[in-house]
Amino acid sequence: MPYTHYKQVDMEVDRLFELGQYRQALEVLQRAEQHFPEQMLLILFCQSYTYACLGDQAACLDAIERAQGMGFAWPIDGGLFEPVREHPRFPALLEKMKQMLQQQAQVGAQMQYVVDLPEGYTPERRYPLFMVLHGDGSVTGNIEYQRWFWEPQELTSRGFIAVFAQSSQRVSASGYVWLNDYAVAREDIRACYEQVVSQYPVNLEKVLIGGFSGGAITSLDITLAEVLPVRGFVALCPSLKPHAFTKENVLKAVQRGVRGVVLEGEHSLPVPDEQEMVGVFEEAGLPFRFYVNAGVGHIFPPDLSIKLGWAIDFIMEESS
């Protein structure tokens, strides 16, 4: 198998899904079991969803049942698994999955974060800060998955202290979300920021924040609600307007010198809430860029590192 990291498997499966090549995606996932046994939760989740897309109800439910036997759980009562809802086995598996998720969510969780420092770091100088927020998800809503795509090296090589924050809102053994409760999310991120600036020499005039999906929406909320002194945001696939999104708050952001970048997948366009936000940014005079990720939808583009570099250059060009 040519893959050396599960990130490569994940990106290949995403690519095949975008092409509608579900059988080929399934073959990749089946081979991955042998090479990446530590990622069985993600593998079985993707397998079950692939079978659902193929209309193979029995195989989909077999994968779900297998996951449950290994202690893995994720929601199956939403749209992803609609094709198998009418199968006679589905109600029992759904009930068991709900029980497992409830038990896992009740296990104590707290905000966590990981810090990556630039090469040659010294406490004698102040560094720009980039906070990365994971997407919402019952399987991939966590720091580990986010670090595969928002590569720490891309940030630290530019002199940033990179902080990867994880929500305290737990929904499964490996899944955390921001959007269940905006107040909790704001407090988590504020607490993370305060702990980081108390431990490291941060340039408070060069604080950036970004994220994917739920993390992108939350990044916008943190910026517009003035939870932190954000200089700029990088929002990848922010499909919903955050609570703090108003024209008044956007105008205040303009006055503070905020700049931003929004990225969206070509196959997801148009995204109504996103279009509305971009329109208000334009009307208010907020300096921003909108990049379309060609050939993909609501996923991480393969060239995210390149576009992240462009985004940082744009945000920082007037604050150097």
Side-chain angles (χ1 to χ4, degrees):
M1 192 172 189
Y3 307 120
T4 58
H5 191 286
Y6 190 78
K7 171 187 174 181
Q8 298 165 304
V9 175
D10 195 87
M11 294 185 71
E12 176 64 5
V13 169
D14 280 343
R15 185 187 71 83
L16 293 169
F17 257 72
E18 293 290 328
L19 297 172
Q21 297 178 357
Y22 302 121
R23 289 288 179 193
Q24 292 90 330
L26 191 58
E27 291 173 3
V28 171
L29 290 165
Q30 290 170 337
R31 292 196 302 270
E33 289 192 32
Q34 179 181 354
H35 296 271
F36 302 99
E38 73 283 0
Q39 298 297 337
M40 282 303 297
L41 166 58
L42 188 51
I43 290 170
L44 288 172
F45 170 79
C46 291
Q47 283 186 10
S48 64
Y49 177 49
T50 306
Y51 281 123
C53 292
L54 288 167
D56 192 336
Q57 295 184 342
C60 172
L61 297 175
D62 285 345
I64 292 172
E65 190 169 34
R66 185 181 172 202
Q68 290 178 340
M70 299 176 72
F72 301 141
W74 59 80
I76 62 172
D77 54 351
L80 294 181
F81 296 94
E82 192 65 31
V84 299
R85 289 189 67 89
E86 301 305 317
H87 194 281
R89 292 168 56 198
F90 184 81
L93 291 175
L94 174 61
E95 183 59 31
K96 182 174 181 180
M97 198 67 93
K98 286 182 176 179
Q99 292 175 1
M100 293 176 67
L101 286 170
Q102 184 176 23
Q103 292 170 356
Q104 292 175 3
Q106 288 174 346
V107 177
Q110 59 183 2
M111 180 276 295
Q112 300 181 50
Y113 63 92
V114 172
V115 176
D116 291 271
L117 300 175
E119 184 176 352
Y121 167 84
T122 171
E124 278 69 50
R125 59 167 291 193
R126 293 192 302 158
Y127 295 86
L129 174 70
F130 197 115
M131 296 187 68
V132 180
L133 309 184
H134 59 75
D136 282 18
S138 58
V139 174
T140 58
N142 54 62
I143 291 174
E144 177 190 8
Y145 187 78
Q146 213 62 204
R147 287 167 63 84
W148 293 355
F149 298 95
W150 299 81
E151 298 180 12
Q153 175 63 24
E154 184 62 36
L155 298 170
T156 58
S157 66
R158 292 173 172 270
F160 281 85
I161 294 175
V163 178
F164 293 79
Q166 183 169 284
S167 170
S168 65
Q169 300 178 64
R170 185 175 188 172
V171 294
S172 73
S174 68
Y176 300 80
V177 299
W178 301 105
L179 300 182
N180 277 6
D181 190 320
Y182 275 82
V184 172
R186 291 176 183 180
E187 185 54 39
D188 280 349
I189 295 164
R190 181 187 292 109
C192 176
Y193 172 80
E194 289 176 351
Q195 291 180 36
V196 169
V197 299
S198 71
Q199 299 175 62
Y200 302 97
V202 173
N203 184 336
L204 303 183
E205 296 181 356
K206 296 183 179 181
V207 176
L208 277 61
I209 191 168
F212 168 67
S213 192
I217 298 164
T218 305
S219 296
L220 289 167
D221 187 70
I222 294 298
T223 302
L224 296 175
E226 297 186 64
V227 175
L228 308 181
V230 173
R231 171 73 177 122
F233 59 83
V234 183
L236 173 60
C237 302
S239 55
L240 299 172
K241 293 179 294 185
H243 283 186
F245 183 80
T246 64
K247 186 169 184 179
E248 179 183 6
N249 283 345
V250 174
L251 287 169
K252 289 179 180 178
V254 173
Q255 294 171 357
R256 298 194 304 273
V258 172
R259 300 166 70 87
V261 172
V262 176
L263 304 99
E264 185 54 75
E266 177 186 14
H267 295 171
S268 296
L269 297 173
V271 182
D273 274 18
E274 191 175 75
Q275 286 182 303
E276 181 180 342
M277 288 190 287
V278 166
V280 173
F281 291 160
E282 291 177 342
E283 292 174 11
L286 181 86
F288 79 99
R289 292 289 183 269
F290 183 83
Y291 294 132
V292 175
N293 300 319
V296 300
H298 192 87
I299 61 174
F300 293 98
D303 60 349
L304 178 59
S305 291
I306 294 173
K307 287 176 177 169
L308 181 57
W310 294 347
I312 291 172
D313 288 344
F314 169 72
I315 291 170
M316 302 295 285
E317 67 182 21
E318 290 190 2
S319 63
S320 300

